[in-house]
Every structure is written in structure tokens, then in C-alpha cells.
Amino acid sequence: MVREKDICWEYAEKLDGNKVRCRFCQRVLNGGISRLKHHLSRLPSKGVNPCTKVRDDVTDRVRAIIAQKEEIRESSCVTKPKLVETKPPGNISMVKASMPLESVVSPIQKVFPTITPMAPPSLNNQENAEKNIALFFFENKLDFSVARSSSYQLMIDAVAKCGPGFAGPSAEILKTMWLERIKSEVSLQLKDVEKEWTTTGCTIIADTWTDNKSRALINFLVSSPSRTFFHKSVDASSYFKNTKCLADLFDSVIQDFGPENVVQIIMDSSFNYTGIASHIVQNYRTIFVSPCASQCLNLILEEISKVDWVNSCIIQAQTITKFIYNNASMLDLMKQYTGAQELIKTGITKSISNFLSLQSLLKQRSRLKVMFNSPEYSTNSSYTNKPQSITCIAIVEDNDFWRAVEESVAISEPFLKVLREVSAGKPAVGSIYELMTRAKESIRTYYIMDENKCKTFLDIVDRKWREQLHSPLHAAAAFLNPSIQYNPEMKFISAMKEDLYKVLEILLPMPDMRRDITNQICTFTKVRGMFACNLAKEARDTVPPGLWWEQYGDSAPVLQRVAIRILSQVCSSFTFERHWNTFQQIHSEKRNKIDKETLNDLVYINYNLKLARQMRTKSLEADPIQFDDIDMTSEWVEESDNPSPTQWLDRFGTALEGSDLNTRQFNAAIYGASDHIFNL
């Protein structure tokens, strides 16, 4: 059929009927290749959702195809001649058409005076608009990933509705009126969420980072089932080792949310954990202090990666990726053989990146072997003359290497799975106990014939569990989780009872509060009252445990209140991407009080908008432990500790025309550490 010759079919899989599946996001679309084009173009189109996974070079290509067809359609139709607004030569660009003619010349025009700001006649309206948007990005050093923001298209749509002559808000209006108004709107959203805290309680997250100036920055967030909010950022450098001062800081944050609403505080090991925890437990007897589950799991993966043969496997794998990613033509050849798939994956930590990249490499094993044996490779002197070439071929052809990769992937995947569960921003305190138990069982099963290796890895897990992760709150939550309590395969229910009783004594401190608690526990475990109804049984594995207790726990009202508060909590701080450069600027000593207040407000808005977008756009396809962009400065790419100033550009070649350029590395290369955010 003629339809099959459309070049866009390479981005789709044809299904039965008039349906296609996008090769990037796997979404199934009705309406054939035409709707797929609108899906890939990410242009506003009624009834077609934009693709969230498509590469920018594909989007540009598809947009060009659509624009070309529209031009042909317009030229073939008899239409009224369009009125062209004539403007004197040397007029300002379309982006600044609403500004006075005597406004200053832009930096772009100063650097490139030969560029005429008016669009040439050959550009249609779409191309002219895109050009001016691009100029705005380049002139103001905006991160390319801004174009992926949901608010980016909303802004363009809103401006388009205003029609010609729309004048954008001035810097002063943005900094005053709109900053105050939007901050108020965000604060009102928090007020709405606070209403649920009387039932569900909340978790305070203390996320810490030490910058290159040895400053200790602490970000405080508050989380409950509806969503997570950023509260504030504090520079605690002067008293980070002082338990009394840190205790006072935590006291003030607890008071901000109300001690009666706070169920737990999650903090990482960089704090004086024991001292702070003791203070909180003594002064707030109903608040638990818990370690960050994601941090503990990351430490487990870090220890696994230090095992000799695993470390050797990672180093060999990095030899392959460094050779490929530091040669533009080699990178192009790899993309041809992998179907434009990347070999490297960037996780939220170095250890996670290592194992995600090993997984990716294993998936591409056969294609890599074919590539290194292909005529395109063997006849190209730019590849074969390099000393790394022989090394890479030897590694790719080494079966022992691939067995080590398979083994590394097999032992790391169970813990990556747990990480995904606890880092997704949802209440997972009721699942962590079971997930860790299953992960350990996976190790035992995999090494059923190798007791020594099994012991090596289980010892790592058990040591980190004892030192870092085990919490009575986790055990109590597992006991109260209906999907665990009523699962006959679970063998560890009795081991949780002691921790459950400890938690009940803390949350129900007065004897009269727990007078009937024993009977209510029996009602729950023996499946009596509302727990016995068919709806409750059917919902055990399908409804979040906190919601399940809210709906079906009326037969045990005291236990119900406790269960809802416990099971509604998160157990990790890795629910969002950190932008520490922003926080460094907040705490700069060079800033005056007004600038600091403004920047604090901006960060409050920015962080909470991003957290809200995470909640809205969360999908099954998104991986909470992996970034979309590759970190081109990681050990999987960088060849030397002291690269030349332009070395980072050498590896891209034609990739600069597409989406292969990691925007975070682009920022690091273009923008200095002293560049101001928000021009403050």
C-alpha cells in the first residue's frame, strides 16, 4: 500500500485495524499514521496527546513534514491573498514587536549584527515563531529541557489567544505582582492538603547536601497521601555538628506543621542521627524518626558494586561506552545498530547509574557484537586505528564478561525494583518490609547452587538493614497492610508483632486509649466484622492500604485511626530531582535581604510547581530512579580527569542537531557557577 511508504512508519508499529503504536512511548493511537505525526510533533492537536518520550530530532523532522504538507495544501487551494504588514528595514524582531522602537539592541544583534531580525519571506508563520523562540532561549541561556515543560505550551497557547500586539509583563511586574499572587496560590494549595493531616498525618522530610564550600544545606519538605510540598531551605553550616542547634531547628519545623499532625521525620545519615532522634523522641513522644529507605538501598547497591568481580565488570563496560561516546561517528554507528537507543542510563545516584547501564548494555549485547564485526566498523580507520578498539572488541567477544554482566543485573534488579517502589512519591511504608524480604529471597534463589556468593550479598543486605533501615514503624505498617496480613505465603507476620505493640504504645500512650485494642487486633487478624465483607476481601491487593482501612476498618475504630496514620506515610526522600545550584544561590553571602527573600519565594514556587507536575504526570512509563537525559560527565563517558575546555563538544558531532545533548551538561559547560538564576 502507498501508506506504508510514509517515512514516519519507522517510528510506529502497525496494529490491526486503523491503529498504530508509537515506538517511543508505546501509546496505541487510533487513526493511523496521520494521528501519529501529530502525536510525535507535540504540536497542539485536538484529541491527540503529545508524545513524552520522542527525541527532539524526530519531533523537528515530523513538524517539517507536517508544515510542508500544509504549504502544498494551501498553494493548491484558491484563497484570498494574505495581507502582509510592511515594516521598515531594521525593525525589531517579532518577539519584541510590542516594545517601543527606541528599545535597546539585544545581545544577539550585538554579537551577530548581520542577522536581520525580520523573518525572511521564505519562512512561514510556524517557522518564524519557532526561530524567535529559539533566539529567546539562546539569548537568555535557557535550558533546552524547558521546552518539555507542560507550562511551556500553555504559555504559548495563552499568548496566541491574545492575538497581535500582546505586550508581555515587565520584569518589575513579574517580580512583584505575579510572584506574590502565584506564591499565594501555591500556599492555598498547601492549606487544602493540611485538612487531611488530622486523619492521615504527615511526614517531614529533611534532605541534606554539602556543597563544594562545605556548606550544609537542608531542604525541608512535608508529605502526605495527596502530595508532597517543599517547605523551606536552611543553611545549617555554622551549627551542623551542634546537636542542640539542630534540635532547635527541627523543633521550629515541627511547630510549623503542628506536632499532633506529624507521624514521622525522615532524615539521612549525614545528620547526627542518634542525637537528633533522641531529642525528637523525648520531646515528641508520638513522632517517629526514620531513615531514608532510598539512601539505604543505594548504600546496598554501592557495596555490591565494590565486590571485586562486579567492579571489574563495571569498569570493562565503561571501557566500551567511553570508546563509543567520545567519537561522534562511532556514536552515530552505534545509534544505527541499536535503533537510536542509548547504551548509558543515568540514575539518581552513581550506583544506580552503574546497574541501569549494565542492564541497558545487556539488552544491546547482540547488536553490539554485530556492530563491532560489521563492514562499516572494520573498514573505518577512525575506529580501528584507535588502541581502545582492540580492547573493546575483546571485551564484547568475551563470554565471561557477559556472564558477569548477567549476574550483576540479576542481583541488582531486585533492589532496583524496591527503589522504584519507595521512590515513587507514594505511601510505601507498608510495603518496604515485604519488598526487602522478597529481594533477599531473589538472591537466595539465584545463588541456590553457590552458597559463598549468596552469603556475600546477603551479608551486605542484612548489615545495611540493621544499621540503616530497620524501623518499628516499617514492621507495624507491614502487619497492618491487608495484602501482607492475609497472604498465606508470608512467613514473617509473627516477627512483626513486637514492633507493632511498641508502635501502639507510642501512638496510644494512655491506657484508656488502648483499652479495647487487643480485641480490635483480633477482629482484624481473624477477619471479622466489616473485614469479612466481600468488598474488603476483593480490595486487599488493589486498593492502597491506608484507603482500605479508611473504607473497611470501622469494626476496629481505634486500630483504624492508627493504621490510617501509619500506612499513609512515605519512607523515602528520593521523590524528586534536586537542583542544588539554586539553593546555593539562596544562601549566598553576597545577597542582600530583599534578593534573598525574592529568591526564596521563587524557589518555593518553582519547587512546588515541579512537585505538583510530578504528581499530575506520573505514569507507569516513568522511572522514578532514572533521568531522561544522559549525564555526559559521568564515569561512563568521561575519559580523563582533566578534559580540555572543548573536549565535551567533540563527542557530539551530528548529535548536536538532535536530542542527544544532555541539557545538564550543556548548562555546566556554558553557564559558570557564578551565573545568576532569575537574574538576581
Side-chain angles (χ1 to χ4, degrees), residues 43 87 124 203 301 378 409 428 481 533 541 594 638:
L43 293 171
K87 294 190 178 182
N124 59 29
T203 292
L301 290 173
S378 58
V409 168
N481 187 340
C533 74
D541 300 313
I594 296 175
E638 285 293 353

Side-chain angles (χ1 to χ4, degrees), residues 5 50 59 62 111 153 163-164 188 235 260 307 313 386 397 410 449 468 494 523 537 589 655 668:
K5 294 182 180 179
T59 294
V62 174
V111 178
Q153 189 60 48
L188 283 174
D235 182 357
E260 69 282 0
V307 174
C313 171
K386 290 181 177 290
E397 295 298 333
M449 303 298 290
Q468 297 277 337
S494 58
T523 301
K537 292 178 179 179
E589 295 175 358

Side-chain angles (χ1 to χ4, degrees), residues 316 318-327 329-330 333 368-369 371-398 639:
Q316 285 182 297
Q318 289 173 347
T319 301
I320 298 172
T321 58
K322 287 175 183 178
F323 175 58
I324 292 173
Y325 279 84
N326 282 278
N327 186 303
S329 54
M330 188 71 221
L333 183 65
L368 286 173
K369 287 186 174 183
M371 181 190 76
F372 278 108
N373 286 286
S374 68
E376 297 98 321
Y377 180 82
S378 58
T379 59
N380 193 321
S381 59
S382 65
Y383 311 145
T384 53
N385 289 344
K386 290 181 177 290
Q388 305 98 311
S389 174
I390 298 172
T391 305
C392 287
I393 292 173
I395 294 172
V396 169
E397 295 298 333
D398 185 359
E639 286 190 308

Side-chain angles (χ1 to χ4, degrees), residues 464-517:
K464 293 301 177 185
W465 174 270
R466 286 193 307 270
E467 294 174 358
Q468 297 277 337
L469 188 55
H470 179 70
S471 166
L473 198 66
H474 296 160
F479 186 94
L480 295 169
N481 187 340
S483 67
I484 296 175
Q485 177 65 229
Y486 300 130
N487 187 343
E489 295 180 6
M490 295 301 165
K491 310 293 184 185
F492 51 84
I493 297 294
S494 58
M496 304 175 193
K497 280 188 177 180
E498 184 177 350
D499 283 333
L500 171 70
Y501 298 151
K502 288 179 182 176
V503 170
L504 289 175
E505 287 177 6
I506 291 171
L507 294 179
L508 303 171
M510 305 303 293
D512 60 328
M513 296 174 70
R514 51 180 186 260
R515 183 176 298 124
D516 193 41
I517 197 68

Side-chain angles (χ1 to χ4, degrees), residues 229-492:
F229 273 90
F230 170 76
H231 180 52
K232 66 179 179 180
S233 181
V234 176
D235 182 357
S237 307
S238 60
Y239 53 86
F240 193 65
K241 301 297 182 181
N242 187 316
T243 303
K244 174 66 171 63
C245 293
L246 279 177
D248 291 342
L249 173 62
F250 275 83
D251 283 342
S252 68
V253 174
I254 290 171
Q255 294 302 325
D256 287 343
F257 301 117
E260 69 282 0
N261 294 321
V262 180
V263 175
Q264 71 168 341
I265 296 174
I266 293 177
M267 63 176 71
D268 58 50
S269 58
S270 60
F271 287 100
N272 178 359
Y273 189 90
T274 305
I276 300 297
S278 298
H279 169 83
I280 292 171
V281 169
Q282 289 173 8
N283 289 271
Y284 307 96
R285 297 187 180 278
T286 59
I287 297 178
F288 293 85
V289 179
S290 303
C292 173
S294 290
Q295 187 190 38
C296 175
L297 287 159
N298 181 61
L299 291 173
I300 289 173
L301 290 173
E302 187 178 313
E303 288 295 312
I304 290 174
S305 67
K306 290 178 182 177
V307 174
D308 288 343
W309 66 266
V310 179
N311 185 48
S312 297
C313 171
I314 293 170
I315 291 172
Q316 285 182 297
Q318 289 173 347
T319 301
I320 298 172
T321 58
K322 287 175 183 178
F323 175 58
I324 292 173
Y325 279 84
N326 282 278
N327 186 303
S329 54
M330 188 71 221
L331 185 59
D332 287 341
L333 183 65
M334 182 273 287
K335 293 287 183 73
Q336 291 177 30
Y337 277 87
T338 63
Q341 296 298 305
E342 301 286 359
L343 293 182
I344 301 170
K345 303 294 181 184
T346 301
I348 54 180
T349 69
K350 174 183 171 181
S351 300
I352 295 170
S353 297
N354 286 341
F355 290 109
L356 289 177
S357 295
L358 286 179
Q359 282 185 7
S360 176
L361 215 65
L362 186 61
K363 289 177 183 177
Q364 302 295 342
R365 170 171 50 180
S366 59
R367 294 182 179 91
L368 286 173
K369 287 186 174 183
V370 172
M371 181 190 76
F372 278 108
N373 286 286
S374 68
E376 297 98 321
Y377 180 82
S378 58
T379 59
N380 193 321
S381 59
S382 65
Y383 311 145
T384 53
N385 289 344
K386 290 181 177 290
Q388 305 98 311
S389 174
I390 298 172
T391 305
C392 287
I393 292 173
I395 294 172
V396 169
E397 295 298 333
D398 185 359
N399 290 331
D400 288 339
F401 164 71
W402 289 112
R403 277 193 289 271
V405 173
E406 288 176 352
E407 200 170 331
S408 299
V409 168
I411 59 177
S412 62
E413 177 54 32
F415 300 104
L416 292 175
K417 183 178 179 181
V418 180
L419 260 169
R420 289 186 178 97
E421 288 295 321
V422 302
S423 300
K426 61 184 179 182
V429 72
S431 307
I432 183 66
Y433 206 106
E434 177 199 5
L435 291 168
M436 288 299 293
T437 302
R438 290 187 183 278
K440 289 169 65 175
E441 282 301 315
S442 297
I443 299 295
R444 290 191 185 95
T445 303
Y446 187 78
Y447 284 124
I448 195 168
M449 303 298 290
D450 194 332
E451 187 176 337
N452 289 334
K453 281 190 175 180
C454 183
K455 184 177 185 306
T456 297
F457 293 112
L458 287 182
D459 283 350
I460 290 173
V461 176
D462 289 338
R463 185 171 65 255
K464 293 301 177 185
W465 174 270
R466 286 193 307 270
E467 294 174 358
Q468 297 277 337
L469 188 55
H470 179 70
S471 166
L473 198 66
H474 296 160
F479 186 94
L480 295 169
N481 187 340
S483 67
I484 296 175
Q485 177 65 229
Y486 300 130
N487 187 343
E489 295 180 6
M490 295 301 165
K491 310 293 184 185
F492 51 84

Side-chain angles (χ1 to χ4, degrees), residues 590-643:
K590 296 179 181 179
R591 298 202 176 279
N592 61 42
K593 185 177 180 182
I594 296 175
D595 275 355
K596 283 189 175 182
E597 289 177 355
T598 301
L599 193 51
N600 266 307
D601 289 346
L602 282 165
V603 170
Y604 177 82
I605 293 169
N606 175 264
Y607 223 111
N608 282 309
L609 289 177
K610 286 186 175 180
L611 287 168
R613 184 183 66 193
Q614 255 186 349
M615 295 296 292
R616 286 196 310 269
T617 60
K618 195 177 293 179
S619 66
L620 296 174
E621 301 161 4
D623 190 341
I625 64 172
Q626 180 181 325
F627 296 134
D628 292 333
D629 296 321
I630 296 173
D631 182 2
M632 299 300 281
T633 62
S634 76
E635 293 177 353
W636 288 82
V637 178
E638 285 293 353
E639 286 190 308
S640 64
D641 294 332
N642 299 302

